[in-house]
Amino acid sequence: MEKDSAIELKPEDIQALEEKYLFATYKRSALYCSHGSGVYVYDMSGKRYLDFLGGISVNSLGYGHPRLARVLTEQGQRLIHCSNLFYHPYQGALAKKLVEVSGMAKAFFTNSGTEAVEAALKIARSYGSIRAGSGKPVILTLKNSFHGRTFGALSITTQDKYQAPFRPLVPDIEIVEEFTVDALEKAFSDRVCAFVLEPIQGEGGIVPLPESFVRAGRALCDRYDALLIADEIQCGLGRTGKYFAFEHYSVKPDVLTLAKSLAAGYPLGAVLGNARVAESLGPGDHGTTFGGGPLACRLALEVLDIIEEEGLITKVDTLGRYLIDELKNMAQRHRSIREVRGLGFMIGIEMGDAAKEAVTRLLDKGIITNAAHETVLRLLPPFIIEKKDVDEFLAALDAVLKEIESAA
Ligand code: PLP
């Protein structure tokens, strides 16, 4: 790696700069990232870390993938940005690809997940007003959900810790408090324009929704002429061992949001909609300066090609089953593991207070994870990890749990 001037700073200087000049929004761990390669991240002292978090479901292809590096260089020299006033070859091509793999009909590109959710909410309200004027404004959302931090997305993110200081939020949002068909039936009415869900809740602690519940959601949306919106920003694009998590439920949403791993680290999000909502955004209804730029879209096309050519979704499914089975076996030996949840490479280990301690101790041993919802050890490894990496992780976790349990 070539030296860069910022890397001349020592960790304590970096921390001091951030403390002085940044809003204190992030509680960072003491990992000072220098560079990455394959499944590894290296800190500024050269220590190597096995990455089992993938930049929170972003780095699905790990670090320094040569094909992505080539696209970055080539397209970086050719055209990074040209504005949405003009055409370039990659936005339509990426929309076509995403429409084909998802069964949707139309796409709109954003820079982030929360913006994809905002666009989905605008589609929902627009659909409602086309169908019933002002009589269909209600958006249903689930308890324990996370959809982002801009005002619309925050309004359907039903966790007090995110919402409390920012109220009042967007009106006509109603929360379904239980994942039961009964609760859902009570929540629906003709006033509902959309029901939003994460098939597997991510920030909420890796919580797969019950199959009967999601299916009932689809049926109720049909009955009440409402849209089913699947937020697959964390769980989509191969993460669960299928292209999209909704496939595990044998339902199709009307609207689908994506981001995170779409361009495997370069910011890009998308909202996709089926034919039902194709008219819900018309000229001037929505827009963005950066969304869908040539570099981002070309990168995403390359990401999807690599995932398909290398058979990575099947690999996530197979290796994910092995990892989950081994974790369940480990739960027999370790009282701190209360439950193992998830699919593919989206796994949560419910551990109570031990979760944060496990994250810290794993980091000391050179493995990156995090704690979602305080009590859940969350694993979102890159799709390119191999069985030997899984075994290394399992051995480290076993050792860490022994340490924690013997200290308790
Ligand atoms: N929706 C889900 C399910 C997410 O997991 C996230 C981020 O964690 C978001 C939306 C927001 O995405 P972003 O952080 O890119 O705005």
Side-chain angles (χ1 to χ4, degrees):
M1 284 276 117
E2 275 179 37
K3 288 210 153 189
D4 99 23
S5 58
I7 289 178
E8 296 298 333
L9 292 171
K10 294 191 183 64
E12 54 272 27
D13 302 329
I14 294 172
Q15 196 187 359
L17 274 176
E18 292 209 356
E19 268 169 23
K20 181 152 185 205
Y21 293 110
L22 292 183
F23 282 108
T25 51
Y26 301 110
K27 259 195 263 162
R28 301 198 206 278
S29 302
L31 168 55
Y32 294 82
C33 301
S34 158
H35 60 283
S37 175
V39 296
Y40 299 111
V41 175
Y42 293 80
D43 75 8
M44 290 168 55
S45 73
K47 181 173 170 187
R48 194 178 84 169
Y49 295 82
L50 175 62
D51 183 15
F52 257 60
L53 187 62
I56 319 182
S57 197
V58 170
N59 298 305
S60 57
L61 300 178
Y63 298 88
H65 197 292
R67 284 176 59 178
L68 299 186
R70 194 171 60 239
V71 169
L72 274 167
T73 317
E74 258 179 45
Q75 192 59 36
Q77 286 168 350
R78 191 187 289 256
L79 188 69
I80 293 176
H81 174 80
C82 64
S83 97
N84 276 311
L85 296 176
F86 308 113
Y87 292 97
H88 65 76
Y90 302 108
Q91 195 171 136
L94 180 60
K96 176 174 185 281
K97 176 74 193 169
L98 289 172
V99 157
E100 281 168 2
V101 295
S102 65
M104 298 283 125
K106 299 279 182 189
F108 177 89
F109 292 104
T110 65
N111 312 291
S112 66
T114 197
E115 288 168 83
V117 170
E118 292 295 331
L121 296 178
K122 284 180 76 172
I123 289 172
R125 284 275 170 87
S126 162
Y127 181 82
S129 67
I130 291 168
R131 306 294 289 182
S134 59
K136 212 169 173 53
V138 173
I139 294 168
L140 296 180
T141 183
L142 295 179
K143 75 157 186 202
N144 197 47
S145 55
F146 184 90
H147 298 285
R149 295 164 185 269
T150 50
F151 263 93
L154 181 65
S155 303
I156 57 166
T157 289
T158 53
Q159 298 182 49
D160 213 45
K161 66 177 174 183
Y162 299 115
Q163 290 189 339
F166 306 111
R167 296 190 178 111
L169 299 169
V170 173
D172 289 317
I173 307 285
E174 292 178 11
I175 306 171
V176 180
E177 296 283 355
E178 280 170 23
F179 302 160
T180 62
V181 176
D182 192 41
L184 209 47
E185 276 173 349
K186 286 195 180 109
F188 264 87
S189 73
D190 288 327
R191 284 175 53 74
V192 174
C193 65
F195 169 39
V196 192
L197 54 80
E198 300 158 81
I200 301 183
Q201 294 186 326
E203 299 307 303
I206 314 294
V207 181
L209 299 182
E211 210 171 309
S212 56
F213 180 74
V214 174
R215 294 229 181 115
R218 174 70 274 174
L220 286 161
C221 282
D222 291 339
R223 189 185 316 158
Y224 289 97
D225 190 14
L227 303 175
L228 181 64
I229 302 178
D231 179 347
E232 297 225 7
I233 286 165
Q234 192 163 143
C235 64
L237 296 170
R239 170 71 42 204
T240 64
K242 290 194 186 290
Y243 228 117
F244 299 103
F246 67 74
E247 295 172 57
H248 293 284
Y249 294 85
S250 306
V251 298
K252 282 202 169 168
D254 301 294
V255 176
L256 175 66
T257 54
L258 302 171
K260 289 206 183 265
S261 64
L262 183 53
Y266 196 84
L268 180 64
V271 62
L272 305 172
N274 65 11
R276 215 170 152 193
V277 298
E279 311 301 320
S280 295
L281 291 181
D285 282 345
H286 203 46
T288 163
T289 297
F290 291 119
L295 178 55
C297 289
R298 192 174 160 192
L299 273 166
L301 282 163
E302 193 74 7
V303 168
L304 299 176
D305 273 358
I306 296 169
I307 287 176
E308 289 182 13
E309 282 167 28
E310 298 186 4
L312 291 178
I313 299 179
T314 309
K315 186 216 188 151
V316 168
D317 180 46
T318 315
L319 203 50
R321 282 175 200 270
Y322 169 71
L323 174 53
I324 291 170
D325 284 350
E326 289 299 309
L327 289 168
K328 286 186 175 161
N329 288 339
M330 203 182 278
Q332 311 295 316
R333 301 197 297 280
H334 289 290
R335 63 179 187 278
S336 38
I337 300 186
R338 297 178 190 169
E339 193 183 8
V340 177
R341 299 187 290 260
L343 283 167
F345 282 178
M346 183 170 189
I347 301 170
I349 309 167
E350 184 72 60
M351 292 179 56
D353 291 343
K356 285 183 161 175
E357 184 64 27
V359 172
T360 309
R361 286 176 186 253
L362 282 166
L363 196 63
D364 283 348
K365 291 189 190 312
I367 297 183
I368 302 174
T369 58
N370 98 319
H373 219 240
E374 307 283 311
T375 60
V376 181
L377 183 70
R378 175 168 55 169
L379 312 179
L380 299 161
F383 300 174
I384 58 167
I385 57 165
E386 299 294 344
K387 181 168 176 298
K388 71 171 175 47
D389 303 312
V390 171
D391 289 336
E392 182 183 335
F393 167 77
L394 289 167
L397 181 63
D398 195 36
V400 156
L401 294 182
K402 275 185 196 139
E403 289 165 18
I404 293 175
E405 287 162 10
S406 64

